[in-house]
Structure formats: C-alpha cells, structure tokens
Amino acid sequence: MTALPVARLPEGWKPAADTLAGRVVLVTGAYGGLGGAVSRAAARAGATVVITGKRKRQLEQLYDAMMSEGLPEPVIHPLDMEAATPTDYAALAEGLERDFGRLDGIVHAAANFAGLTPIVMHKPDAWLRTMHVNVSAPFALTQACMPLLLGAPDSAVVFVLDNPELLQRAHWGAYGASKAALERLVAILHQETDDGAMRTHALLPAPMRTTLRRMAYFGEDSMQLPLPDATAEAAVYLLGPDAAPARGAVLDLRDGA
C-alpha cells in the first residue's frame, strides 16, 4: 500500500488539443511502451516534447512516427540514464534554457528491470544499475532542471511507480526496492516544493501492455491488456494545470484500488 495520499483522475477527464499548449515537456525512456505513449499524448495536447533515451536510432524512429502521425515536431536529446554524469544533466538543462527558455514538465518513464531474481542470486552490479536508473538518475535529472521548473509559472514532475503490494514480495529485488525509494523521493520533493510553482506527482498505472510487464509475468497473455494510452493521458493530466489539487499524491489508475 502506498504511503502517499491517493488521487483519482476526474471522471470523464480527457486531454484537449490545448491542455499543454505552450509548454515544454521532457520524457525519459521515450521510446519505451509508456514513454512513447506519453510523448505522443503530450504532443497531441499541444506540448513541445523533448524525447530522451540512450539509443539514438530508436529516438529517431519515434521522431519519424510522430511526424508521420502529424504531431508537433519533437526534439531528440539522447541521454543514457545509466551512464550520464551530473555534467550531462547540467548540459541538458542548459540546452533547454538556450533553445526554449523554459521547462514545464518532466515525465520519468525510463525504468530498469532485469527480471525476477531472489536476493541470494541478485548480481550486485545489476542491483546497483537498477537502483541508479530508477532512483538516482531521476533525482539527478530533476535537480539539474529545477531552476527551470521553479521558474515556470506552473510546472510538474511525474514519477512512475508500480504496484506496491506486489513489489514488496519475494524476487522483486532491486526493482521493488527502487520503486519504494522513488515513492519516498516523491514525498520529500513535494514537502520541499509544496508552496511553489513546481508540482511533484506520482503515477501508478493499471496493468498495461509493455515489455516490462511481459518480462515480469511469463504466463500472462499481455496482448489482452490495454495499451499504455490511458496511462499516458493521465500523465498529461498531471502535467497540466488541472492537476494542482493532486500535487504530492499518487494518481492511482488501478481498478478497485
């Protein structure tokens, strides 16, 4: 059970073409299942989307797909969350300030999951890599971008969580520990910024059709699960001004949660 306050998506809420008009939004893990859906949804809602990830070719494929769909042109910025240094994050923030003069939102969709593993068999380097990509890198990127986010009239940082009741069980290892740590990061960051322009949000998706889900649930027919589109629209809600009452909370999209 999450320790954060729980928020719900307002009934019937859907993003409009101008929900994020004029805003610049950064999406990490942009070519992943959720990251790609968020990139498209934010662009449809009027945002200028900066897409990041470690594989430039896959970012280019996402760029081409978004352009072919008639969406606003995204901006490619390759960023390897596993290898990036504070200097790399600072350079990204400086580039955003130089090119746009602003940053209005970040969606941390990048995640590292190496599979279900008992602690006794967990390779230490794999543990450290997962903790870094899932917790330390989002911290460092957010910190580097905070001057821009705090300078915006209204901004939001969205951290993606996972089912806390499940992740505390056996074999979830570094991924389970990292998502618990990420939840605490959300709480602390909110406490430090709760009276300013920058909002902190957590997003807890319902089961959806992604590569990570397929890796974790071998016996499940993931094709029967919905695509990440509804979760992406919920991320747009959190990025926009309507989500001000949900700051510091987790937007729980699970049925019956």
Side-chain angles (χ1 to χ4, degrees):
M1 187 173 187
T2 178
L4 296 171
V6 175
R8 299 292 180 194
L9 191 67
E11 187 174 355
W13 189 92
K14 287 288 183 181
D18 63 349
T19 297
L20 301 179
R23 299 194 180 213
V24 177
V25 172
L26 175 68
V27 181
T28 72
Y31 51 72
L34 178 58
V38 170
S39 299
R40 288 176 166 87
R44 280 193 294 269
T48 297
V49 182
V50 181
I51 54 175
T52 73
K54 66 180 179 180
R55 297 185 181 91
K56 184 179 179 182
R57 181 61 193 137
Q58 288 182 262
L59 291 172
E60 291 170 342
Q61 290 172 345
L62 174 61
Y63 174 97
D64 292 342
M66 292 176 68
M67 293 302 293
S68 69
E69 294 169 24
L71 297 173
E73 183 178 8
V75 177
I76 293 177
H77 189 106
L79 183 69
D80 185 348
M81 302 288 278
E82 182 179 332
T85 67
T87 301
D88 296 320
Y89 296 124
L92 172 56
E94 290 165 6
L96 292 169
E97 185 169 21
R98 180 184 63 250
D99 296 341
F100 305 108
R102 64 187 299 162
L103 178 65
D104 304 279
I106 302 175
V107 178
H108 290 289
N112 181 282
F113 175 68
L116 299 172
T117 309
I119 294 294
V120 70
M121 298 176 61
H122 218 307
K123 294 181 179 179
D125 59 340
W127 178 284
L128 294 173
R129 185 181 306 113
T130 298
M131 294 299 291
H132 180 78
V133 172
N134 293 356
V135 185
S136 300
F139 148 74
L141 176 58
T142 301
Q143 183 189 59
C145 293
M146 279 183 71
L148 285 171
L149 294 163
L150 291 168
D154 174 67
S155 63
V157 184
V158 180
F159 298 89
V160 180
L161 303 182
D162 205 333
N163 188 332
E165 290 83 8
L166 184 66
L167 266 55
Q168 65 183 337
R169 298 178 187 172
H171 301 161
W172 282 95
Y175 182 77
S178 70
K179 288 299 183 178
L182 194 64
E183 181 179 324
R184 186 56 56 88
L185 174 59
V186 170
I188 292 171
L189 187 58
H190 167 65
Q191 289 290 329
E192 294 178 358
T193 59
D194 64 346
D195 58 353
M198 189 186 99
R199 293 177 277 111
T200 304
H201 298 279
L203 177 61
L204 182 50
M208 54 187 175
R209 195 189 313 171
T210 62
T211 301
L212 192 154
R213 179 82 186 185
R214 285 196 297 273
M215 289 177 63
Y217 298 87
F218 301 109
E220 181 181 72
D221 183 2
S222 62
M223 296 304 292
Q224 301 302 314
L225 296 174
L227 290 167
D229 296 350
T231 301
E233 290 186 352
V236 170
Y237 165 74
L238 293 176
L239 290 167
D242 291 348
R247 67 188 302 163
V250 54
L251 185 66
D252 193 342
L253 302 180
R254 300 172 300 165
D255 291 337

